[in-house]
Amino acid sequence: QLQVKDSGGGSVQAGGSLRLSCAISGDMDVRRCMAWFRQAPGKEREGVAIIRPGGGSSYTIDSVKGRFTISIDGSGSTGNLLLNSLKPEDTATYFCAASRLFAPCNVSPRASEFSFWGQGTQVTVSS
């Protein structure tokens, strides 16, 4: 079993930056992926970025590519999502998640592949 805890959200103006953090405890290793999802009010949960511990595989969706950077340490216990050049449309609750074993880590993250979730952290971007 894994426990996932995400943190670091806040309120910023457009163009600002935030760093989200994810702490994962338990059986986390290179056979799993870590990903960030977000969900805005009235919208479906959207996969934003995904990565494998130790590097080698990662993917970021086009709408945030060049602005958001996902990272994770080699053990998979600590991950981050750096959010730069934030836009009002980035406003959402952001969730960190850890996948099932042997999930692909180089494609757009799909919620069905992820079994362990953080509680979510709110990001609000004002214009």
Side-chain angles (χ1 to χ4, degrees):
Q1 291 294 320
L2 298 178
Q3 293 77 45
V4 179
K5 181 168 180 154
D6 42 41
S7 61
S11 297
V12 297
Q13 291 190 326
S17 299
L18 285 171
R19 182 187 293 274
L20 307 184
S21 296
C22 181
I24 304 175
S25 58
D27 187 23
M28 182 64 178
D29 59 35
V30 298
R31 296 173 297 173
R32 301 183 190 267
C33 317
M34 183 199 78
W36 288 92
F37 292 78
R38 65 184 179 184
Q39 188 166 19
K43 295 189 177 181
E44 293 188 357
R45 190 166 296 192
E46 175 187 39
V48 174
I50 188 172
I51 193 168
R52 184 182 301 282
S57 296
S58 67
Y59 184 91
T60 305
I61 62 172
D62 287 345
S63 62
V64 305
K65 195 168 292 184
R67 300 190 298 120
F68 292 8
T69 302
I70 190 171
S71 62
I72 192 169
D73 66 3
S75 68
S77 62
T78 304
N80 292 285
L81 184 68
L82 178 60
L83 289 63
N84 288 325
S85 302
L86 281 161
K87 303 176 181 180
E89 52 263 44
D90 295 319
T91 295
T93 301
Y94 284 70
F95 299 88
C96 179
S99 74
R100 63 167 178 82
L101 289 171
F102 307 114
C105 301
N106 58 350
V107 296
S108 182
R110 296 171 294 189
S112 60
E113 300 279 9
F114 288 79
S115 303
F116 307 96
W117 293 83
Q119 77 284 359
T121 186
Q122 179 67 35
V123 172
T124 302
V125 185
S126 58
S127 57

